[in-house]
Every structure is written in structure tokens, then in C-alpha cells.
Amino acid sequence: GHTASFAKILEMLKDTERVDAYRRAIDQLGASWSDSIVVDVGAGTGVLSVMCGKRAKKVVAIEASRLSHFLRKVVATNAPNVEVHDIRAEDLELTEKVDVVVSEWMGYCLLFENMLPSVLSVRDRYLKPGGMMLPSKCRLLLAPLEDQNWRKQKLDFWSSVHGIDMSCLIPLARATYCGTPQHHLVDASKLLADPQVIFEADLHTVQIGDLE
């Protein structure tokens, strides 16, 4: 819901490596955007829209949640050439083709709860031939991992809680924490083997069926 999406956006904004990667790409590629139209799919609070707005002629920011109310205020203050559409990307209607489609669409483990189908909907209908997707490519890598500290905090903790044996709760804790993707930084020394690419896609050509 609304609260969950806001929490996820806050987490993304605090992920400085991710935000800085977008900033570097927009600064580098945006030098040629002075006559370009950019679409930001799932604009959230407008960080990418504002970054693009400082480079492009016009930005179309799409945000279907109630955050669109705040998005309008953010862009009015920071980038007046951003046009906000508070609809689903699949329902977007434009009178002209666009030069760039940008989105922070990645979910946990890249594809878990991702927005890529919405991004591809905009790409297929409105991106000019030879237009730019940002990001343009993605890869998902997998590596075996052992993190004893995480295990102690989440699972072994229940063996003795203030001196009380609550080990009967370990299966519940395992189902809670091991049954869904966990998002946190780990030291490379905890990897038991080199990461292997298990999925990669070119955002200019990938189709919905490729994600299944």
C-alpha cells in the first residue's frame, strides 16, 4: 500500500550508491538532451524527474500512488519543466514519441515486486526508434553465502531469550526470514564462491515473457 511504497522509496533514497549511479548516468548522457522528452516511470518523490528536468526539454513523470500529490510540489520547486501524470503507466496517453525512458524499476533480487512490465509498456508505445532506456541493461548474480552473525540475530536468538528456552519459535523465525528476500549489505568475505550471472536483459529489447 501507500505506506509500504513510501518506506521503499525512503530506502531507495538512502541508497547513495544507487542514486549516485543514476546521477552520473544522467549527467553524462544528459548533455545531449536539450531538445529531448524524457518519461520517468514510477517517479515516486521525483528525484530522477528533477535530475532529468535539469537536462531535458521536458520530463513526463508518472506516479500512480498518492505520492503524486507531493511529487507535484517537489517538481514545482525544483524543475518546472516536469509534467506529472497521476495514472498507471499502462494508461499513459501522449501525443508525441519520447527520446528517453528512465525508471528506478528494480525490485528486491532485481525481479521481485519489480515495475518492469510498466516500463516496457511505455517503451513499446512511446519510445522513438533508437531512443534510450535508462538503465539500458540489467544483470542478476547469485552466490552462496554464509553469515553467522545474521543467523545468530534472527534464528539462534530464540534458543535463549532472557534465559527462557523459546527454541520452538525457530521454525517460525526461519519461515519469516528465510522464506522471503532479505535486503542488506554483506562483506564479500562471506561469499563461499564467485557470483554467477543467472539472468541478464537488454532493456531495449526484453519482452514480458522473458521475465517468466
Side-chain angles (χ1 to χ4, degrees), residues 2 5 30-31 42 48 58 63 71 79 83 102 115 117 125 127 142 157-158 204:
H2 175 55
S5 65
L48 299 185
K58 174 182 171 183
E63 179 53 53
L71 172 60
E83 180 182 285
V102 63
M115 293 195 309
R125 290 181 297 141
L127 186 64
L142 184 69
F157 165 82
W158 297 100
H204 292 94

Side-chain angles (χ1 to χ4, degrees), residues 6 11 39 95 178 184 201 209:
F6 185 69
E11 188 175 292
V39 177
T95 58
C178 299
H184 59 271

Side-chain angles (χ1 to χ4, degrees), residues 192-208:
L192 303 178
D194 292 333
Q196 302 295 315
V197 177
I198 61 171
F199 173 82
E200 55 186 330
D202 182 334
L203 275 297
H204 292 94
T205 58
V206 68
Q207 300 297 319
I208 298 293

Side-chain angles (χ1 to χ4, degrees), residues 134-182:
L134 191 62
S136 58
K137 294 181 180 179
C138 62
R139 294 194 306 164
L140 178 61
L141 293 90
L142 184 69
L145 164 76
E146 183 175 53
D147 189 343
Q148 290 292 348
N149 288 335
W150 183 87
R151 180 183 178 87
K152 288 177 182 177
Q153 292 172 11
K154 303 298 185 183
L155 304 180
D156 298 344
F157 165 82
W158 297 100
S159 298
S160 178
V161 182
H162 303 293
I164 301 170
D165 183 350
M166 294 189 180
S167 56
C168 61
L169 286 164
I170 290 178
L172 177 59
R174 183 178 292 114
T176 300
Y177 295 111
C178 299
T180 58
Q182 300 293 309

Side-chain angles (χ1 to χ4, degrees), residues 4-71:
S5 65
F6 185 69
K8 190 171 182 180
I9 286 171
L10 180 62
E11 188 175 292
M12 177 264 189
L13 294 176
K14 290 187 175 182
D15 186 345
T16 54
E17 286 193 21
R18 181 187 297 200
V19 176
D20 284 346
Y22 274 96
R23 186 195 306 279
R24 289 193 301 272
I26 292 168
D27 284 347
Q28 178 181 343
L29 300 170
S32 61
W33 291 359
S34 58
D35 290 322
S36 297
I37 300 175
V38 177
V39 177
D40 180 6
V41 182
T45 54
V47 171
L48 299 185
S49 294
V50 170
M51 289 181 185
C52 292
K54 295 182 184 302
R55 297 286 186 174
K57 178 175 71 174
K58 174 182 171 183
V59 177
V60 176
I62 308 170
E63 179 53 53
S65 80
R66 286 179 290 173
L67 284 173
S68 62
H69 168 75
F70 301 99
L71 172 60

